[in-house]
């Protein structure tokens, strides 16, 4: 499909990193060449999922202009027993690196946007990835908005918490509108689990569609078994027939045709 997709949200803990790793897995198992980028430099997560050894270059180096993206990608296909091609670019999780990324100013962020645009082109055109998924920090700081600006599609993950809905509405209608982005909303952690009916889901879609004025491409219930799993065990890979994985496959298909 050749797409750079960001996964973003207004608040933290909505499930961005979780969905990013699982969607990357789903696409890879379909035979696509997939790249997952941990661009949440404030709270890196994907190293816990993929447990890379000997990372020589981080995405931080690419953002600082000290490395090319190909230097920092690690082949993590073994995680899915080589049933697909899945590469990951990791964020440096050291305290110094996190502090360094938080302290960047406007000028650096402007340069970083150019670097993300180059990185997108390199990944899709030079390295021939079919899909790149960028996991980002929550909120409206420049680093995340840069990744959104560079994306072909932005997935915004929202829970049903009032404060999340309020912030997400503002973020989409005030910020995303300006960039004219293709936005797809995923509602995650909807209370109901297995018992959630299609009617309940469509009521959620109808209510939120009005506020967000963007397509809602999935409502994922809160499942205890999802929350209980260790990060290092990718749910979609280990539970391919679970309704959560089936819904994620539908979301993946919708993103492809956006
Ligand atoms: N649908 C779900 N049901 C239950 N737990 C979930 C669901 N989606 C995500 N989680 C859990 O929520 C937690 C936070 O997710 P995470 O992806 O780290 O959020 P974010 O990256 O947006 O901060 C993780 O422990 C994850 O297992
Ligand atoms: Mg995260």
């Amino acid at each position: 499909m050749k797409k750079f997709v960001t996964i973003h949200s207004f608040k933290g803990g909505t499930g961005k990193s979780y969905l990013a790793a699982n969607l990357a897995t789903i696409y890879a198992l379909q035979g696509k060449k997939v790249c997952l980028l941990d661009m949440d430099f404030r709270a890196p997560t994907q190293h816990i999922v993929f447990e890379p050894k000997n990372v020589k270059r981080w995405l931080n180096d690419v953002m600082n202009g000290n490395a090319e993206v190909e230097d920092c990608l690690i082949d993590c296909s073994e995680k899915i027993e080589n049933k697909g091609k899945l590469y990951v670019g990791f964020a440096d999780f050291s305290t110094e690196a996190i502090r360094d990324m938080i302290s960047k100013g406007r000028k650096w962020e402007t340069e970083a946007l150019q670097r993300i645009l180059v990185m997108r082109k390199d990944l899709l055109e030079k390295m021939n990835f079919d899909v790149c998924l960028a996991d980002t920090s929550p909120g409206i700081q420049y680093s995340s908005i840069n990744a959104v600006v560079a994306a072909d599609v932005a997935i915004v993950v929202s829970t049903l918490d009032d404060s999340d809905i309020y912030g997400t509405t503002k973020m989409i209608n005030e910020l995303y509108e300006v960039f004219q982005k293709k936005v797809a909303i995923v509602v995650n952690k909807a209370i109901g689990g297995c018992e959630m009916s299609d009617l309940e889901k469509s009521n959620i879609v109808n209510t939120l569609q009005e506020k967000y004025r963007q397509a809602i491409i999935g409502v994922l219930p809160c499942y205890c078994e999802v929350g209980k799993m260790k990060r290092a065990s990718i749910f979609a890979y280990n539970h391919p027939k679970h309704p959560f994985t089936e819904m994620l496959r539908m979301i993946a298909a919708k993103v492809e045709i956006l």
Side-chain angles (χ1 to χ4, degrees), residues 53 99 117 181 223:
K53 288 168 196 76
R99 285 206 175 125
L117 291 167
K181 272 294 130 194
Y223 290 106

Side-chain angles (χ1 to χ4, degrees), residues 67-79:
E68 303 289 323
V69 67
E70 48 258 69
D71 301 332
C72 76
L73 292 189
I74 305 225
D75 186 349
C76 292
S77 311
E78 240 181 54
K79 191 81 200 174

Side-chain angles (χ1 to χ4, degrees), residues 9 11-19 45 135 188-189 220-224 226-227 231 244:
S9 67
K11 293 196 78 164
T14 57
K16 287 179 298 301
S17 303
Y18 199 82
L19 298 183
T45 298
D135 182 14
N188 191 24
K189 300 190 178 180
L220 295 164
C222 195
Y223 290 106
C224 293
V226 170
R231 286 277 176 168
F244 181 76

Side-chain angles (χ1 to χ4, degrees), residues 7 13 22 26 30 58 66 91 98 103 115 117 135 145 153 157 160 190 196 198 216 224 240:
I7 306 190
N22 278 277
I26 285 170
Q30 290 173 350
W58 306 98
N66 298 328
I98 292 172
S103 67
R115 291 188 179 124
L117 291 167
D135 182 14
I145 296 305
V153 177
V157 187
L160 292 176
M196 205 169 180
D198 286 345
I216 296 175
C224 293

